[in-house]
Amino acid sequence: MQTTEKTQHIRSLKDSIQYIKGVGPKRALLLHKLGLQMVEDCLYFIPHRYEDRSHVKKIGALVEGEQVTFQGKVADVNILHRRRRRKILEVTVQDDTGTICIKWFKFNEKYMKERYTVGRPLVVSGKPTFNRYRGEGLEIIHPDVDLGSEDGSDPLDIGSIIPIYHTTEGLYQKSLRAIMKTLVAGYAHLLDEFLPGDIRRRNHLPERGTAFSETHFPPLGTQENLLKQFRTEAQVRLVFEELFLLQLGLAFKRKHTQEEEPGTPFKTRGDTIHRFIRLMQFELTGAQIKVLGNIMDDLEQSRPMNRLLHGDVGSGKTIVALITLLTAVDNGMQGALMAPTELLAEQHYLNIQPYCQALGIRMQLMTSAMSSKEKKTVLENIREGTTHIAVGTHALIQKGVEFKNLGLAVIDEQHRFGVLQREAISKKGTYPHVLVMTATPIPRSLAMTLYGDMDVSVIDEMPPGRQPIQTKRYYASQRDKAYNFLKKEIGKGRQAYVVCPLIEESDTQDLKTVLEVYDDLQKRFSDVAVALIHGKLKKEERQRIMADFKAGKADILVATTVIEVGIDVANATVMLIEHAERFGLAQLHQLRGRVGRGKYHSYCLLIAYPPLTEDGKLRVKAMMDSCDGFKIAEQDLQIRGPGDFMGTRQSGMPSLVFADLIRDIKIIETTRKEAFNLIDRDPKLEDPEHQNLKQAFQQYLGDRLDFMDIL
Ligand code: ADP
Ligand code: MG
């Protein structure tokens, strides 16, 4: 009865895995544990590596230190009892050329005894080593083993390249492989092709079904190094289709928001801008001029600007933001500048305010720390339009903030905000122009996915006269040396920052750390003025301390990471970071960017407290190796992985199954071109040839993006 049911069933990718031969209720549960419910899930569950069993070695030919696979039979099984009750399992494997011993130090005795019976065929993979203590020749510790059955009913897949999957306790690699084999053979052909033929031909992509089946079971002769790098045609096809759908989404979003959102075209390079340029104490760099050119072109359009501005710390983004804001004011509209922290908003305000005053432009700072009375007046001014430029934190996007006519929003230090905030500030006006600035340079691959619907400009040049910052590492035991160095700089009339880490578990603990360092410094340097700043202080207090430091009234500023972004004191030449190993790489780079802003040679002193974690070591090393924010960002992405990078998970980064943002940068570029071209030619996917694609795209989007109704 059951067999007829199975044969009558019309196969579908949505079939439950229970339909698959070899999957009983017990295994189904194990597969569920791996997140596999339907056949389709299994097809997407690709091997994490492969083992080439097409060239198995003879035991007699095994060499020390070389990863190999060989087959043989169990010749002997021994359990050695050692001191302190530690047992060792030794299995001797034999073929017609010799024997080798395979060993386990951790094992379940009863279970292993049942598995390893004399005469049973098996395939072993691992790296032979010499047993130096006993001179018994080669052995393999904790190898990978596939056991066959004596009657030969369990195939050992000798002579093929086999996939290795992540599996779960109770589900053997070999069983999982057998299930996958049945499933791929029976279902892969049901995967509908959706990539247009011309795109497939241009990019040498095999058909969808073939790509999936050959990714699971690579044909004989497939090059091992290609497989390892995920670069066989089959594998590339999977990466390609995933990234193509992602880029199609971005292309689609951009096309349709641009067309449907009427923006206000600005007249650029007006009177206020000319007056401002005359006030400026320096010339704009070539990069600043180029970027401003992009921005002005955008502002003149009748669709809203949606531009991302990248620039390393200290590259001069603030001036660019200000000129952009002034353009809005010149057009009779309001501008908003949003910063991630109170301190940075205050700094922006203090930096920009003198210019605005000279130009007769009314500017207002709005923070959540304001008294309700102050707040009321500010809100009124913003609503009535008496305020031209509002500067603030996320307080600017809260309920109750109404602009008279917001024409432009600049969002600084984007990585602290999510996509949602970007949209929230937009809603405070009717399709205002939006400029997003980020000081953490984002690796290009990530920018093309995370911000792929935006236009991108890069300030790739520093203001003139900047000197590279020299970075030095000291271990805790060398701390005095670092402090002596710092003292020498102060002797020359320079100033220094000393930064202490945030310890996430407790606020009081943080405070204790900075306070201790502050006390210690006062004791060490009795003739030096030491100031202290941290997030627990009142706004006025912080402003006074910063202003004093800027005016040179303090030589050393001890701080928590509140100074991470935006602080600008040209005479400060030393950035000493306590417990550097605890900081993230982007954060270290930001902190380092606080010095090297004037004409003096600057230093970053990293104090590391052993033992360092592997990641901690890599971060410190990356800092020593480079001052280039983009290189640092690439490193950061490598160390942390994309999910974690900048908290991308919450900021709308789609999860990628096949693609890897570091490995697949070229494919990201290609798919981006192909997808944007396709949307230009067929904006709503109406071409009969694109119907499969449209369906795949709709399925891909799910409820991820809200422009489904356009399709
Ligand atoms: P960031 O890109 O990190 O926000 P800022 O805008 O704070 O950088 O600029 C860093 C410093 O460089 C500031 O002191 C600013 O006045 C100065 N600066 C900006 N542009 C120029 C320029 N073209 N020439 C000289 N100094 C500049
Ligand atoms: Mg800045």
Side-chain angles (χ1 to χ4, degrees), residues 280 282-285 288 311-319 348 351 355 412-413 437 439 459 463-464 466 566-568 570 594 597:
M280 263 172 46
F282 45 73
E283 305 252 305
L284 292 172
T285 62
Q288 285 169 323
D312 210 342
V313 230
S315 59
K317 292 184 292 293
T318 316
I319 290 289
H348 273 317
N351 285 338
Y355 291 112
D412 194 9
E413 316 292 356
M437 307 197 294
I459 307 189
R466 289 283 164 80
I567 306 300
D568 192 23
R594 298 303 111 211
R597 303 194 143 227

PDB file of all heavy atoms in Angstrom, residues 280 282-285 288 311-319 348 351 355 412-413 437 439 459 463-464 466 566-568 570 594 597, ligand 1:
ATOM      1  N   MET A 280      35.585  80.402   4.583  1.00  0.00           N
ATOM      2  CA  MET A 280      36.365  79.202   4.905  1.00  0.00           C
ATOM      3  C   MET A 280      37.847  79.512   5.039  1.00  0.00           C
ATOM      4  O   MET A 280      38.392  80.292   4.277  1.00  0.00           O
ATOM      5  CB  MET A 280      36.182  78.139   3.821  1.00  0.00           C
ATOM      6  CG  MET A 280      35.146  77.100   4.160  1.00  0.00           C
ATOM      7  SD  MET A 280      34.807  76.035   2.761  1.00  0.00           S
ATOM      8  CE  MET A 280      36.441  75.663   2.202  1.00  0.00           C
ATOM      9  N   PHE A 282      40.271  77.345   4.647  1.00  0.00           N
ATOM     10  CA  PHE A 282      41.132  76.500   3.798  1.00  0.00           C
ATOM     11  C   PHE A 282      40.451  76.245   2.464  1.00  0.00           C
ATOM     12  O   PHE A 282      39.274  76.557   2.282  1.00  0.00           O
ATOM     13  CB  PHE A 282      41.455  75.177   4.497  1.00  0.00           C
ATOM     14  CG  PHE A 282      40.257  74.517   5.138  1.00  0.00           C
ATOM     15  CD1 PHE A 282      39.289  73.902   4.366  1.00  0.00           C
ATOM     16  CD2 PHE A 282      40.100  74.523   6.529  1.00  0.00           C
ATOM     17  CE1 PHE A 282      38.200  73.300   4.952  1.00  0.00           C
ATOM     18  CE2 PHE A 282      39.005  73.920   7.126  1.00  0.00           C
ATOM     19  CZ  PHE A 282      38.055  73.313   6.342  1.00  0.00           C
ATOM     20  N   GLU A 283      41.208  75.706   1.541  1.00  0.00           N
ATOM     21  CA  GLU A 283      40.661  75.342   0.240  1.00  0.00           C
ATOM     22  C   GLU A 283      40.107  73.927   0.317  1.00  0.00           C
ATOM     23  O   GLU A 283      40.678  73.071   0.999  1.00  0.00           O
ATOM     24  CB  GLU A 283      41.789  75.314  -0.794  1.00  0.00           C
ATOM     25  CG  GLU A 283      42.585  76.589  -0.896  1.00  0.00           C
ATOM     26  CD  GLU A 283      42.262  77.320  -2.179  1.00  0.00           C
ATOM     27  OE1 GLU A 283      42.393  76.710  -3.251  1.00  0.00           O
ATOM     28  OE2 GLU A 283      41.839  78.493  -2.085  1.00  0.00           O
ATOM     29  N   LEU A 284      39.042  73.681  -0.413  1.00  0.00           N
ATOM     30  CA  LEU A 284      38.514  72.316  -0.455  1.00  0.00           C
ATOM     31  C   LEU A 284      39.513  71.416  -1.178  1.00  0.00           C
ATOM     32  O   LEU A 284      40.210  71.860  -2.090  1.00  0.00           O
ATOM     33  CB  LEU A 284      37.185  72.295  -1.208  1.00  0.00           C
ATOM     34  CG  LEU A 284      36.027  73.003  -0.509  1.00  0.00           C
ATOM     35  CD1 LEU A 284      34.821  73.081  -1.438  1.00  0.00           C
ATOM     36  CD2 LEU A 284      35.652  72.294   0.785  1.00  0.00           C
ATOM     37  N   THR A 285      39.584  70.186  -0.755  1.00  0.00           N
ATOM     38  CA  THR A 285      40.446  69.238  -1.477  1.00  0.00           C
ATOM     39  C   THR A 285      39.751  68.832  -2.772  1.00  0.00           C
ATOM     40  O   THR A 285      38.536  69.008  -2.927  1.00  0.00           O
ATOM     41  CB  THR A 285      40.681  67.949  -0.657  1.00  0.00           C
ATOM     42  OG1 THR A 285      39.420  67.299  -0.455  1.00  0.00           O
ATOM     43  CG2 THR A 285      41.325  68.250   0.676  1.00  0.00           C
ATOM     44  N   GLN A 288      36.897  66.555  -2.096  1.00  0.00           N
ATOM     45  CA  GLN A 288      35.703  67.242  -1.575  1.00  0.00           C
ATOM     46  C   GLN A 288      34.942  67.929  -2.714  1.00  0.00           C
ATOM     47  O   GLN A 288      33.711  67.877  -2.773  1.00  0.00           O
ATOM     48  CB  GLN A 288      36.103  68.263  -0.500  1.00  0.00           C
ATOM     49  CG  GLN A 288      36.470  67.622   0.832  1.00  0.00           C
ATOM     50  CD  GLN A 288      37.122  68.601   1.804  1.00  0.00           C
ATOM     51  OE1 GLN A 288      37.900  69.474   1.392  1.00  0.00           O
ATOM     52  NE2 GLN A 288      36.822  68.461   3.088  1.00  0.00           N
ATOM     53  N   GLY A 311      34.035  58.220   3.625  1.00  0.00           N
ATOM     54  CA  GLY A 311      35.290  58.951   3.743  1.00  0.00           C
ATOM     55  C   GLY A 311      35.923  58.554   5.039  1.00  0.00           C
ATOM     56  O   GLY A 311      35.263  58.450   6.064  1.00  0.00           O
ATOM     57  N   ASP A 312      37.202  58.313   4.980  1.00  0.00           N
ATOM     58  CA  ASP A 312      37.917  57.893   6.170  1.00  0.00           C
ATOM     59  C   ASP A 312      37.817  58.979   7.244  1.00  0.00           C
ATOM     60  O   ASP A 312      37.511  60.131   6.930  1.00  0.00           O
ATOM     61  CB  ASP A 312      39.376  57.632   5.794  1.00  0.00           C
ATOM     62  CG  ASP A 312      39.996  56.571   6.680  1.00  0.00           C
ATOM     63  OD1 ASP A 312      39.431  56.304   7.758  1.00  0.00           O
ATOM     64  OD2 ASP A 312      41.036  56.026   6.295  1.00  0.00           O
ATOM     65  N   VAL A 313      38.113  58.608   8.466  1.00  0.00           N
ATOM     66  CA  VAL A 313      38.112  59.600   9.551  1.00  0.00           C
ATOM     67  C   VAL A 313      39.053  60.739   9.183  1.00  0.00           C
ATOM     68  O   VAL A 313      40.170  60.500   8.736  1.00  0.00           O
ATOM     69  CB  VAL A 313      38.669  59.023  10.880  1.00  0.00           C
ATOM     70  CG1 VAL A 313      37.735  59.328  12.005  1.00  0.00           C
ATOM     71  CG2 VAL A 313      39.012  57.570  10.752  1.00  0.00           C
ATOM     72  N   GLY A 314      38.585  61.948   9.369  1.00  0.00           N
ATOM     73  CA  GLY A 314      39.438  63.102   9.130  1.00  0.00           C
ATOM     74  C   GLY A 314      39.523  63.542   7.683  1.00  0.00           C
ATOM     75  O   GLY A 314      40.279  64.448   7.339  1.00  0.00           O
ATOM     76  N   SER A 315      38.742  62.926   6.807  1.00  0.00           N
ATOM     77  CA  SER A 315      38.840  63.280   5.391  1.00  0.00           C
ATOM     78  C   SER A 315      38.057  64.557   5.085  1.00  0.00           C
ATOM     79  O   SER A 315      38.122  65.079   3.979  1.00  0.00           O
ATOM     80  CB  SER A 315      38.344  62.125   4.518  1.00  0.00           C
ATOM     81  OG  SER A 315      37.007  61.814   4.825  1.00  0.00           O
ATOM     82  N   GLY A 316      37.299  65.063   6.050  1.00  0.00           N
ATOM     83  CA  GLY A 316      36.615  66.341   5.867  1.00  0.00           C
ATOM     84  C   GLY A 316      35.192  66.214   5.359  1.00  0.00           C
ATOM     85  O   GLY A 316      34.776  66.907   4.432  1.00  0.00           O
ATOM     86  N   LYS A 317      34.433  65.372   6.015  1.00  0.00           N
ATOM     87  CA  LYS A 317      33.042  65.190   5.602  1.00  0.00           C
ATOM     88  C   LYS A 317      32.146  66.305   6.125  1.00  0.00           C
ATOM     89  O   LYS A 317      31.140  66.639   5.491  1.00  0.00           O
ATOM     90  CB  LYS A 317      32.522  63.837   6.111  1.00  0.00           C
ATOM     91  CG  LYS A 317      33.180  62.647   5.453  1.00  0.00           C
ATOM     92  CD  LYS A 317      32.582  61.335   5.901  1.00  0.00           C
ATOM     93  CE  LYS A 317      32.876  61.017   7.343  1.00  0.00           C
ATOM     94  NZ  LYS A 317      34.297  60.751   7.639  1.00  0.00           N
ATOM     95  N   THR A 318      32.538  66.881   7.272  1.00  0.00           N
ATOM     96  CA  THR A 318      31.655  67.876   7.890  1.00  0.00           C
ATOM     97  C   THR A 318      31.407  69.074   6.971  1.00  0.00           C
ATOM     98  O   THR A 318      30.268  69.541   6.847  1.00  0.00           O
ATOM     99  CB  THR A 318      32.255  68.360   9.231  1.00  0.00           C
ATOM    100  OG1 THR A 318      32.724  67.217   9.938  1.00  0.00           O
ATOM    101  CG2 THR A 318      31.233  69.080  10.053  1.00  0.00           C
ATOM    102  N   ILE A 319      32.471  69.548   6.333  1.00  0.00           N
ATOM    103  CA  ILE A 319      32.336  70.692   5.431  1.00  0.00           C
ATOM    104  C   ILE A 319      31.390  70.352   4.271  1.00  0.00           C
ATOM    105  O   ILE A 319      30.564  71.157   3.864  1.00  0.00           O
ATOM    106  CB  ILE A 319      33.727  71.086   4.865  1.00  0.00           C
ATOM    107  CG1 ILE A 319      34.576  71.708   5.982  1.00  0.00           C
ATOM    108  CG2 ILE A 319      33.611  72.005   3.676  1.00  0.00           C
ATOM    109  CD1 ILE A 319      34.115  73.085   6.403  1.00  0.00           C
ATOM    110  N   HIS A 348      29.290  68.874  16.358  1.00  0.00           N
ATOM    111  CA  HIS A 348      28.854  69.402  15.067  1.00  0.00           C
ATOM    112  C   HIS A 348      28.293  70.806  15.240  1.00  0.00           C
ATOM    113  O   HIS A 348      28.602  71.706  14.488  1.00  0.00           O
ATOM    114  CB  HIS A 348      27.764  68.515  14.462  1.00  0.00           C
ATOM    115  CG  HIS A 348      28.306  67.373  13.658  1.00  0.00           C
ATOM    116  ND1 HIS A 348      29.351  67.506  12.780  1.00  0.00           N
ATOM    117  CD2 HIS A 348      27.914  66.078  13.582  1.00  0.00           C
ATOM    118  CE1 HIS A 348      29.592  66.338  12.209  1.00  0.00           C
ATOM    119  NE2 HIS A 348      28.739  65.453  12.679  1.00  0.00           N
ATOM    120  N   ASN A 351      31.032  73.281  15.940  1.00  0.00           N
ATOM    121  CA  ASN A 351      31.858  73.529  14.753  1.00  0.00           C
ATOM    122  C   ASN A 351      31.153  74.391  13.729  1.00  0.00           C
ATOM    123  O   ASN A 351      31.761  75.222  13.057  1.00  0.00           O
ATOM    124  CB  ASN A 351      32.249  72.211  14.078  1.00  0.00           C
ATOM    125  CG  ASN A 351      33.342  71.484  14.849  1.00  0.00           C
ATOM    126  OD1 ASN A 351      34.077  72.111  15.613  1.00  0.00           O
ATOM    127  ND2 ASN A 351      33.424  70.180  14.674  1.00  0.00           N
ATOM    128  N   TYR A 355      29.977  79.589  11.666  1.00  0.00           N
ATOM    129  CA  TYR A 355      29.716  79.887  10.256  1.00  0.00           C
ATOM    130  C   TYR A 355      28.279  80.363  10.064  1.00  0.00           C
ATOM    131  O   TYR A 355      28.013  81.329   9.375  1.00  0.00           O
ATOM    132  CB  TYR A 355      29.924  78.641   9.384  1.00  0.00           C
ATOM    133  CG  TYR A 355      31.369  78.204   9.272  1.00  0.00           C
ATOM    134  CD1 TYR A 355      31.792  77.011   9.843  1.00  0.00           C
ATOM    135  CD2 TYR A 355      32.290  78.978   8.569  1.00  0.00           C
ATOM    136  CE1 TYR A 355      33.105  76.594   9.732  1.00  0.00           C
ATOM    137  CE2 TYR A 355      33.610  78.569   8.446  1.00  0.00           C
ATOM    138  CZ  TYR A 355      34.012  77.375   9.033  1.00  0.00           C
ATOM    139  OH  TYR A 355      35.308  76.965   8.912  1.00  0.00           O
ATOM    140  N   ASP A 412      24.873  61.447   9.799  1.00  0.00           N
ATOM    141  CA  ASP A 412      26.303  61.207   9.969  1.00  0.00           C
ATOM    142  C   ASP A 412      26.526  59.876  10.675  1.00  0.00           C
ATOM    143  O   ASP A 412      25.725  59.450  11.479  1.00  0.00           O
ATOM    144  CB  ASP A 412      26.905  62.341  10.806  1.00  0.00           C
ATOM    145  CG  ASP A 412      28.430  62.344  10.746  1.00  0.00           C
ATOM    146  OD1 ASP A 412      29.003  61.586   9.934  1.00  0.00           O
ATOM    147  OD2 ASP A 412      29.041  63.103  11.502  1.00  0.00           O
ATOM    148  N   GLU A 413      27.655  59.260  10.347  1.00  0.00           N
ATOM    149  CA  GLU A 413      28.050  58.016  11.023  1.00  0.00           C
ATOM    150  C   GLU A 413      26.953  56.969  10.928  1.00  0.00           C
ATOM    151  O   GLU A 413      26.493  56.432  11.913  1.00  0.00           O
ATOM    152  CB  GLU A 413      28.383  58.292  12.496  1.00  0.00           C
ATOM    153  CG  GLU A 413      29.220  59.530  12.747  1.00  0.00           C
ATOM    154  CD  GLU A 413      30.648  59.395  12.219  1.00  0.00           C
ATOM    155  OE1 GLU A 413      30.987  58.315  11.726  1.00  0.00           O
ATOM    156  OE2 GLU A 413      31.393  60.375  12.297  1.00  0.00           O
ATOM    157  N   MET A 437      26.343  59.795   5.646  1.00  0.00           N
ATOM    158  CA  MET A 437      27.806  59.827   5.700  1.00  0.00           C
ATOM    159  C   MET A 437      28.299  58.746   6.630  1.00  0.00           C
ATOM    160  O   MET A 437      27.719  58.518   7.686  1.00  0.00           O
ATOM    161  CB  MET A 437      28.287  61.168   6.246  1.00  0.00           C
ATOM    162  CG  MET A 437      27.724  62.354   5.512  1.00  0.00           C
ATOM    163  SD  MET A 437      28.658  63.839   5.855  1.00  0.00           S
ATOM    164  CE  MET A 437      28.337  64.076   7.581  1.00  0.00           C
ATOM    165  N   ALA A 439      31.866  57.173   8.498  1.00  0.00           N
ATOM    166  CA  ALA A 439      33.291  57.316   8.765  1.00  0.00           C
ATOM    167  C   ALA A 439      33.947  55.956   8.853  1.00  0.00           C
ATOM    168  O   ALA A 439      35.144  55.846   8.780  1.00  0.00           O
ATOM    169  CB  ALA A 439      33.518  58.072  10.056  1.00  0.00           C
ATOM    170  N   ILE A 459      35.247  60.155  -0.559  1.00  0.00           N
ATOM    171  CA  ILE A 459      36.322  61.139  -0.387  1.00  0.00           C
ATOM    172  C   ILE A 459      37.598  60.343  -0.199  1.00  0.00           C
ATOM    173  O   ILE A 459      37.823  59.761   0.851  1.00  0.00           O
ATOM    174  CB  ILE A 459      36.108  62.045   0.851  1.00  0.00           C
ATOM    175  CG1 ILE A 459      34.728  62.697   0.814  1.00  0.00           C
ATOM    176  CG2 ILE A 459      37.192  63.108   0.913  1.00  0.00           C
ATOM    177  CD1 ILE A 459      34.529  63.768   1.865  1.00  0.00           C
ATOM    178  N   PRO A 463      42.904  65.994   3.665  1.00  0.00           N
ATOM    179  CA  PRO A 463      43.345  67.386   3.569  1.00  0.00           C
ATOM    180  C   PRO A 463      44.868  67.459   3.604  1.00  0.00           C
ATOM    181  O   PRO A 463      45.504  66.574   4.181  1.00  0.00           O
ATOM    182  CB  PRO A 463      42.737  68.039   4.813  1.00  0.00           C
ATOM    183  CG  PRO A 463      41.569  67.203   5.164  1.00  0.00           C
ATOM    184  CD  PRO A 463      41.933  65.807   4.746  1.00  0.00           C
ATOM    185  N   PRO A 464      45.441  68.459   2.973  1.00  0.00           N
ATOM    186  CA  PRO A 464      46.892  68.519   2.837  1.00  0.00           C
ATOM    187  C   PRO A 464      47.605  68.607   4.189  1.00  0.00           C
ATOM    188  O   PRO A 464      47.040  69.072   5.178  1.00  0.00           O
ATOM    189  CB  PRO A 464      47.123  69.793   2.021  1.00  0.00           C
ATOM    190  CG  PRO A 464      45.872  70.584   2.147  1.00  0.00           C
ATOM    191  CD  PRO A 464      44.781  69.600   2.338  1.00  0.00           C
ATOM    192  N   ARG A 466      48.615  66.267   6.189  1.00  0.00           N
ATOM    193  CA  ARG A 466      48.418  65.213   7.190  1.00  0.00           C
ATOM    194  C   ARG A 466      49.619  64.291   7.204  1.00  0.00           C
ATOM    195  O   ARG A 466      50.126  63.907   6.163  1.00  0.00           O
ATOM    196  CB  ARG A 466      47.180  64.375   6.847  1.00  0.00           C
ATOM    197  CG  ARG A 466      45.892  65.090   7.044  1.00  0.00           C
ATOM    198  CD  ARG A 466      45.527  65.159   8.516  1.00  0.00           C
ATOM    199  NE  ARG A 466      44.500  66.165   8.723  1.00  0.00           N
ATOM    200  CZ  ARG A 466      43.218  65.946   8.477  1.00  0.00           C
ATOM    201  NH1 ARG A 466      42.820  64.791   8.070  1.00  0.00           N
ATOM    202  NH2 ARG A 466      42.341  66.904   8.671  1.00  0.00           N
ATOM    203  N   GLY A 566      34.083  62.105  15.866  1.00  0.00           N
ATOM    204  CA  GLY A 566      33.828  63.514  15.627  1.00  0.00           C
ATOM    205  C   GLY A 566      34.647  64.533  16.380  1.00  0.00           C
ATOM    206  O   GLY A 566      34.600  65.708  16.063  1.00  0.00           O
ATOM    207  N   ILE A 567      35.389  64.120  17.409  1.00  0.00           N
ATOM    208  CA  ILE A 567      36.155  65.099  18.167  1.00  0.00           C
ATOM    209  C   ILE A 567      37.338  65.584  17.336  1.00  0.00           C
ATOM    210  O   ILE A 567      37.990  64.817  16.661  1.00  0.00           O
ATOM    211  CB  ILE A 567      36.678  64.477  19.485  1.00  0.00           C
ATOM    212  CG1 ILE A 567      35.541  63.876  20.271  1.00  0.00           C
ATOM    213  CG2 ILE A 567      37.452  65.501  20.303  1.00  0.00           C
ATOM    214  CD1 ILE A 567      34.461  64.840  20.654  1.00  0.00           C
ATOM    215  N   ASP A 568      37.610  66.869  17.423  1.00  0.00           N
ATOM    216  CA  ASP A 568      38.602  67.440  16.530  1.00  0.00           C
ATOM    217  C   ASP A 568      39.493  68.452  17.266  1.00  0.00           C
ATOM    218  O   ASP A 568      39.105  69.592  17.463  1.00  0.00           O
ATOM    219  CB  ASP A 568      37.853  68.119  15.367  1.00  0.00           C
ATOM    220  CG  ASP A 568      38.790  68.485  14.241  1.00  0.00           C
ATOM    221  OD1 ASP A 568      39.867  67.865  14.126  1.00  0.00           O
ATOM    222  OD2 ASP A 568      38.441  69.403  13.486  1.00  0.00           O
ATOM    223  N   ALA A 570      43.365  69.714  16.914  1.00  0.00           N
ATOM    224  CA  ALA A 570      44.547  69.562  16.064  1.00  0.00           C
ATOM    225  C   ALA A 570      45.845  69.411  16.854  1.00  0.00           C
ATOM    226  O   ALA A 570      46.788  68.784  16.395  1.00  0.00           O
ATOM    227  CB  ALA A 570      44.650  70.743  15.106  1.00  0.00           C
ATOM    228  N   ARG A 594      41.301  60.331  15.796  1.00  0.00           N
ATOM    229  CA  ARG A 594      41.179  61.573  16.574  1.00  0.00           C
ATOM    230  C   ARG A 594      42.489  62.332  16.600  1.00  0.00           C
ATOM    231  O   ARG A 594      42.518  63.502  16.951  1.00  0.00           O
ATOM    232  CB  ARG A 594      40.766  61.285  18.026  1.00  0.00           C
ATOM    233  CG  ARG A 594      39.432  60.616  18.224  1.00  0.00           C
ATOM    234  CD  ARG A 594      38.329  61.398  17.601  1.00  0.00           C
ATOM    235  NE  ARG A 594      37.799  60.681  16.453  1.00  0.00           N
ATOM    236  CZ  ARG A 594      37.288  61.258  15.392  1.00  0.00           C
ATOM    237  NH1 ARG A 594      37.230  62.547  15.282  1.00  0.00           N
ATOM    238  NH2 ARG A 594      36.833  60.530  14.391  1.00  0.00           N
ATOM    239  N   ARG A 597      45.537  65.282  13.153  1.00  0.00           N
ATOM    240  CA  ARG A 597      44.649  66.218  12.488  1.00  0.00           C
ATOM    241  C   ARG A 597      45.318  67.569  12.274  1.00  0.00           C
ATOM    242  O   ARG A 597      44.722  68.470  11.702  1.00  0.00           O
ATOM    243  CB  ARG A 597      43.386  66.401  13.315  1.00  0.00           C
ATOM    244  CG  ARG A 597      42.712  65.072  13.541  1.00  0.00           C
ATOM    245  CD  ARG A 597      41.318  65.218  14.051  1.00  0.00           C
ATOM    246  NE  ARG A 597      40.522  64.176  13.444  1.00  0.00           N
ATOM    247  CZ  ARG A 597      39.342  64.364  12.889  1.00  0.00           C
ATOM    248  NH1 ARG A 597      38.800  65.542  12.883  1.00  0.00           N
ATOM    249  NH2 ARG A 597      38.721  63.359  12.349  1.00  0.00           N
TER     250      ARG A 597
HETATM  251  P1  ADP B   1      35.507  63.658   9.172  1.00  0.00           P
HETATM  252  O1  ADP B   1      35.482  63.223   7.751  1.00  0.00           O
HETATM  253  O2  ADP B   1      36.168  62.655  10.055  1.00  0.00           O
HETATM  254  O3  ADP B   1      34.158  64.088   9.677  1.00  0.00           O
HETATM  255  P2  ADP B   1      36.129  66.390   9.628  1.00  0.00           P
HETATM  256  O4  ADP B   1      35.070  66.935   8.777  1.00  0.00           O
HETATM  257  O5  ADP B   1      35.914  66.420  11.094  1.00  0.00           O
HETATM  258  O6  ADP B   1      36.456  64.915   9.189  1.00  0.00           O
HETATM  259  O7  ADP B   1      37.478  67.106   9.245  1.00  0.00           O
HETATM  260  C1  ADP B   1      38.667  66.832   9.917  1.00  0.00           C
HETATM  261  C2  ADP B   1      39.503  68.100  10.025  1.00  0.00           C
HETATM  262  O8  ADP B   1      40.003  68.474   8.762  1.00  0.00           O
HETATM  263  C3  ADP B   1      38.736  69.273  10.540  1.00  0.00           C
HETATM  264  O9  ADP B   1      39.585  69.973  11.440  1.00  0.00           O
HETATM  265  C4  ADP B   1      38.477  70.117   9.330  1.00  0.00           C
HETATM  266  O10 ADP B   1      38.378  71.473   9.649  1.00  0.00           O
HETATM  267  C5  ADP B   1      39.707  69.837   8.509  1.00  0.00           C
HETATM  268  N1  ADP B   1      39.502  69.977   7.067  1.00  0.00           N
HETATM  269  C6  ADP B   1      38.435  69.573   6.359  1.00  0.00           C
HETATM  270  N2  ADP B   1      38.593  69.843   5.055  1.00  0.00           N
HETATM  271  C7  ADP B   1      39.800  70.450   4.932  1.00  0.00           C
HETATM  272  C8  ADP B   1      40.543  70.974   3.827  1.00  0.00           C
HETATM  273  N3  ADP B   1      40.057  70.915   2.594  1.00  0.00           N
HETATM  274  N4  ADP B   1      41.746  71.497   4.075  1.00  0.00           N
HETATM  275  C9  ADP B   1      42.236  71.539   5.325  1.00  0.00           C
HETATM  276  N5  ADP B   1      41.606  71.081   6.408  1.00  0.00           N
HETATM  277  C10 ADP B   1      40.384  70.526   6.222  1.00  0.00           C
END
